[in-house]
Amino acid sequence: MTLAQPTLVDSGSAPGVEQPEQSTPISTAPRSRWRHATRERPTSHSFRGDVAGLRAVAVGLVLLYHAGLPFLPGGFVGVDVFFVISGFLITGQLVKEIERTGRISLSAFYARRAKRILPAAAVVLVVTTGLVWRFVPRISWQEIGGDIVGAATYVVNWRLADRAVDYLAQDSQPSPVQHFWSLAVEEQFYIVWPLLILAAILAARLLRRDVKPILWVGLLAVALPSFVWSISETKSSPAQAFFMSTTRMWELAIGAGIALVGSRWARMPRGVGVVIGWLGLAAVVTAGLFVTSSTAWPGYAAALPTLGAAAVLAAGAGAGRAGPVALLGTRPFRWVGDLSYSLYLWHWPLLMIATVHWHGLSVTRGLAITAASVIPAWITYRLVENPLRYSVAVSRSPRLALSLGANFTLVGISAGLALLVLFSTASGGSAAARPAPGAAVLAAKPLNDPRGRVMDQVPFITPDPLKAKRDLPDTYRDNCHQDQSSATVLSCTYGDRNSTTEVVLAGDSKVEQWLPAFQALAARNHWKLTVYIKSNCPLSSAVHLVIDTKKRYPSCTEWNRSLLTKLVADRPDYVVTSQYSGTALDTNGVQSADAMVAGMRRSWTALAAVGTKVMVVANNPDPGFSVYKCVDQNRSHLSSCTFDRGRHDADRGYQTQKAAVPGTGVPMIDLFDAICPVGPCAPVIGNVLVYRDTSHLTSTYVRSMTPRLAIALAAVGLPAR
């Protein structure tokens, strides 16, 4: 998991910096009620030492978690704390503006945000681009360049959400700008919330009502659906839910709700405030200590740190010096809180780039880098953040502030585009795809064929490693590869659509990788070839798990149910399957290979009952590293990118297939000898790159094995030439 940025708005320590300018000409009748409340008690949004200190707690949780401290497995809850603080402070400023003028200025609002967040963010993006160019292998430049553009335009959270369920991104490293996702979430919330406030002001004017109850209606209209959606999406797709703004807005809304109550929190009995405040801080710390990466997040579990932070904010005014401010208001906490935004921006890219450069980080080294990030953070805070935030000229002119923000945004976008251009130049200059024999260089019986041995250097490699991730089956281009989030059965049809012989490929991406060879055979043998593929989802009626998270995978179970019903009704002549997964859940909810075997056999039996012949292609092993990345970095020393041939027999998917086949009449085709003729397994055979990622074969290599596949299919009852 990745984490959020510190609150992006001054907590009130700089008088006059963020005062509203050029208000929208909408007023309300009950302005006097707001003013009366303001006169009655000091506003709760004047400087709050506990708020500054709470930011320090939040960023401390984030930094120590990222550094790798094992006793803080839930440090990512700092994101939730920051969202609450941000909602509280931003809404408090808007409420003060309504109290004072009866209106709000969108231009002034966005100008304040632009001068506050964009300059420092752009500086970090530019420096990160340079560090990536210098220290990160070029194979990653394209993906990171796109991330930088997404970070600069505040949509990177959706890019990361898509990647979280993208099977093609299984070997992606955490992006050095991944932490910008939370900034994107906030900006998306602050597109919606000020517009709702304007609508509430207009409604109050038309209805001649107090604006505050209408603001509550607008806030609940955001918070409740977001909370419900957060629970639902976290249950079905937690990796995606983590990054989505729609699953996070309720957290910002809780902070906004605390601000709407306003000065009335100060009327809380002091004893009650003290208890609530300290309990709230304890809830935040408890979440950091006991929540783990296996906790479905955000969902309802995020309520613990979220409500804890809200309790600290609500109780602060009433608790006085006996409350959490006794700790949070101390000079060290306030200093870290003031530095938190820059500190957050800098620590993550430094950690991630160091991780790639040193191939991992120890806790000691992680802590050292995190501590060192204070230096660029302090420099950015003193030379970029404060000078622009406190500039009188920029503060007085929303137009100037917005122009400044736009220019810094363009700088960030340009940095990302520069990295994309550098990658394009590198990949464009690499060898173009050339005809290469691949597996065709091997003997009819390839085992121990010396032509399959590893060579340190070859004249050219097809596909070039920089282009390997694009060497895909046509199902990706044709949009019939179903992702993990949906159970809808998608299909593509190739070959002769009017043929009386229908061959089906069904299962996960490990059978999908064989499509190029099957397409060639379908054209040659006049088959109707139909493909049903879902990420990480084998053809089995078992109760499935997501491989990475080991959590239930209900959309896979449902997809299998629907697909089996369709196949039984359609009665294709042949179904060919393969799979990566080796285990499923048994009736006791325990993960086991036996449960997967039983589920596979049930599906096969149902198909055999209607006359469909099932065939299994043996799973090829995971080399244990990203082959194409290794090859790109070791073009003159390819022996650095070999793997043990014994990984095939040890592969869990293959072992499960072997256990399921006996007694079923289902044959298994094993072409591994043509993938790895001689140990250790070579990354390039016949000038063709064998693997395109950590476990899938390149389409080019699969295509070169077409004649071998034809012979194997014919041997088990599917006539092919």
Side-chain angles (χ1 to χ4, degrees):
M1 291 183 176
T2 45
L3 313 175
Q5 87 291 344
T7 182
L8 306 179
V9 181
D10 196 311
S11 63
S13 57
V17 170
E18 307 212 42
Q19 295 301 314
E21 304 141 314
Q22 293 186 343
S23 300
T24 302
I26 301 176
S27 60
T28 62
R31 284 171 53 191
S32 60
R33 301 180 200 178
W34 290 78
R35 290 174 175 168
H36 177 71
T38 304
R39 288 194 304 268
E40 185 175 289
R41 285 192 180 270
T43 176
S44 61
H45 303 293
S46 56
F47 176 72
R48 293 270 301 269
D50 54 341
V51 177
L54 188 59
R55 290 192 294 187
V57 171
V59 80
L61 289 171
V62 170
L63 268 60
L64 294 176
Y65 168 71
H66 277 166
L69 287 185
F71 64 80
L72 204 64
F76 57 85
V77 304
V79 65
D80 309 279
V81 176
F82 282 131
F83 283 155
V84 175
I85 296 172
S86 181
F88 171 73
L89 293 173
I90 293 288
T91 303
Q93 291 177 338
L94 293 173
V95 165
K96 287 201 297 182
E97 187 173 353
I98 298 173
E99 290 175 344
R100 187 176 60 255
T101 68
R103 60 192 86 178
I104 65 170
S105 168
L106 289 181
S107 62
F109 172 76
Y110 291 117
R112 291 193 298 270
R113 291 195 66 74
K115 69 176 181 176
R116 177 67 179 95
I117 67 173
L118 300 182
V123 169
V124 172
L125 292 177
V126 169
V127 174
T128 298
T129 299
L131 292 174
V132 168
W133 173 78
R134 176 63 180 84
F135 295 108
V136 175
R138 62 181 182 171
I139 203 80
S140 301
W141 290 357
Q142 184 179 40
E143 184 173 87
I144 295 174
D147 290 343
I148 290 172
V149 173
T153 53
Y154 318 109
V155 295
V156 72
N157 62 316
W158 293 105
R159 181 177 168 88
L160 296 171
D162 288 342
R163 191 183 301 161
V165 294
D166 183 359
Y167 214 46
L168 294 177
Q170 62 174 315
D171 61 340
S172 294
Q173 296 290 327
S175 172
V177 295
Q178 187 165 296
H179 60 321
F180 274 76
W181 75 270
S182 54
L183 178 59
V185 167
E186 286 206 10
E187 294 315 299
Q188 290 158 29
F189 177 77
Y190 292 127
I191 290 174
V192 175
W193 182 223
L195 293 177
L196 286 177
I197 291 177
L198 276 179
I201 293 172
L202 180 60
R205 178 185 176 189
L206 293 175
L207 298 174
R208 304 188 66 79
R209 299 288 184 116
D210 190 343
V211 71
K212 185 176 285 189
I214 302 176
L215 283 175
W216 276 108
V217 172
L219 189 63
L220 291 174
V222 172
L224 293 180
S226 174
F227 183 63
V228 172
W229 179 247
S230 180
I231 294 173
S232 173
E233 191 68 8
T234 299
K235 183 178 180 180
S236 63
S237 184
Q240 193 171 36
F242 189 87
F243 297 108
M244 298 166 67
S245 55
T246 49
T247 62
R248 295 288 190 166
M249 286 188 175
W250 65 274
E251 301 180 45
L252 289 118
I254 284 179
I258 299 297
L260 286 182
V261 174
S263 60
R264 282 179 288 179
W265 291 117
R267 304 187 187 119
M268 183 185 301
R270 184 172 298 273
V272 174
V274 170
V275 172
I276 290 177
W278 284 107
L279 285 177
L281 184 58
V284 171
V285 175
T286 298
L289 292 172
F290 295 105
V291 170
T292 69
S293 59
S294 63
T295 305
W297 207 267
Y300 61 82
L304 177 61
T306 300
L307 294 179
V312 174
L313 298 175
R321 295 184 178 180
V325 73
L327 173 67
L328 301 179
T330 58
R331 186 180 296 275
F333 278 85
R334 287 172 54 180
W335 186 84
V336 174
D338 288 343
L339 196 63
S340 58
Y341 179 45
S342 285
L343 189 57
Y344 181 84
L345 287 178
W346 278 107
H347 86 285
W348 178 256
L350 296 181
L351 281 171
M352 288 303 97
I353 292 170
T355 298
V356 172
H357 183 67
W358 284 313
H359 306 290
L361 288 181
S362 65
V363 174
T364 300
R365 185 170 280 181
L367 286 170
I369 292 172
T370 300
S373 67
V374 172
I375 298 172
W378 185 84
I379 293 172
T380 305
Y381 177 70
R382 293 299 299 268
L383 301 184
V384 179
E385 276 194 73
N386 280 353
L388 292 173
R389 181 168 41 160
Y390 299 149
S391 167
V392 175
V394 175
S395 297
R396 287 178 176 173
S397 173
R399 178 177 297 180
L400 178 59
L402 291 170
S403 175
L404 186 75
N407 282 296
F408 274 107
T409 297
L410 287 175
V411 168
I413 294 172
S414 298
L417 292 176
L419 205 56
L420 291 173
V421 169
L422 288 170
F423 175 84
S424 178
T425 301
S427 61
S430 61
R434 304 191 217 176
V441 302
L442 303 174
K445 293 184 177 180
L447 185 62
N448 295 321
D449 187 335
R451 286 168 292 189
R453 294 184 186 276
V454 64
M455 299 174 61
D456 267 333
Q457 194 169 359
V458 295
F460 66 93
I461 302 172
T462 297
D464 187 274
L466 291 176
K467 300 178 180 179
K469 294 191 77 170
R470 287 174 268 171
D471 197 43
L472 300 168
D474 287 343
T475 39
Y476 291 96
R477 179 199 67 192
D478 298 335
N479 297 316
C480 53
H481 176 115
Q482 185 57 273
D483 62 24
Q484 294 184 15
S485 62
S486 175
T488 302
V489 176
L490 304 177
S491 68
C492 285
T493 302
Y494 304 98
D496 185 354
R497 293 174 178 269
N498 299 316
S499 174
T500 58
T501 301
E502 183 177 12
V503 178
V504 167
L505 299 186
D508 63 15
S509 59
K510 297 310 287 287
V511 70
E512 179 186 36
Q513 71 180 351
W514 293 99
L515 176 61
F518 273 95
Q519 284 175 294
L521 293 177
R524 189 180 305 164
N525 294 278
H526 301 287
W527 300 336
K528 177 184 178 182
L529 179 63
T530 309
V531 185
Y532 302 98
I533 304 297
K534 179 172 170 61
S535 291
N536 192 195
C537 187
L539 181 64
S540 167
S541 60
V543 178
H544 295 277
L545 296 168
V546 178
I547 292 175
D548 294 338
T549 64
K550 305 303 181 186
K551 297 183 184 298
R552 285 179 181 265
Y553 189 5
S555 69
C556 177
T557 305
E558 184 181 346
W559 180 85
N560 263 284
R561 189 180 302 117
S562 300
L563 176 60
L564 188 60
T565 299
K566 179 173 179 55
L567 293 176
V568 167
D570 292 348
R571 302 187 177 192
D573 300 283
Y574 305 92
V575 169
V576 182
T577 188
S578 187
Q579 66 192 73
Y580 182 89
S581 299
T583 59
L585 290 181
D586 63 19
T587 54
N588 297 317
V590 177
Q591 183 180 348
S592 74
D594 290 342
M596 178 63 82
V597 167
M600 294 162 67
R601 287 178 170 176
R602 284 195 298 271
S603 294
W604 298 349
T605 300
L607 292 170
V610 296
T612 297
K613 184 172 181 60
V614 179
M615 301 175 176
V616 174
V617 178
N619 184 43
N620 57 284
D622 178 348
F625 58 93
S626 184
V627 175
Y628 75 105
K629 291 182 179 180
C630 181
V631 169
D632 180 59
Q633 296 175 65
N634 296 277
R635 290 173 185 258
S636 298
H637 198 253
L638 295 177
S639 57
S640 298
C641 304
T642 59
F643 64 95
D644 188 349
R645 200 172 190 279
R647 293 182 72 92
H648 177 53
D649 290 342
D651 181 79
R652 293 291 297 272
Y654 173 66
Q655 289 178 340
T656 299
Q657 289 173 320
K658 282 186 65 177
V661 164
T664 63
V666 173
M668 185 161 69
I669 298 166
D670 191 349
L671 296 177
F672 181 64
D673 286 349
I675 297 170
C676 178
V678 183
C681 302
V684 177
I685 296 176
N687 294 108
V688 175
L689 183 66
V690 180
Y691 278 80
R692 61 175 161 86
D693 55 23
T694 56
S695 64
H696 298 90
L697 305 175
T698 64
S699 288
T700 302
Y701 197 77
V702 167
R703 203 172 288 112
S704 76
M705 289 197 290
T706 300
R708 299 175 190 278
L709 179 61
I711 294 171
L713 290 172
V716 296
L718 173 51
R721 58 181 176 85

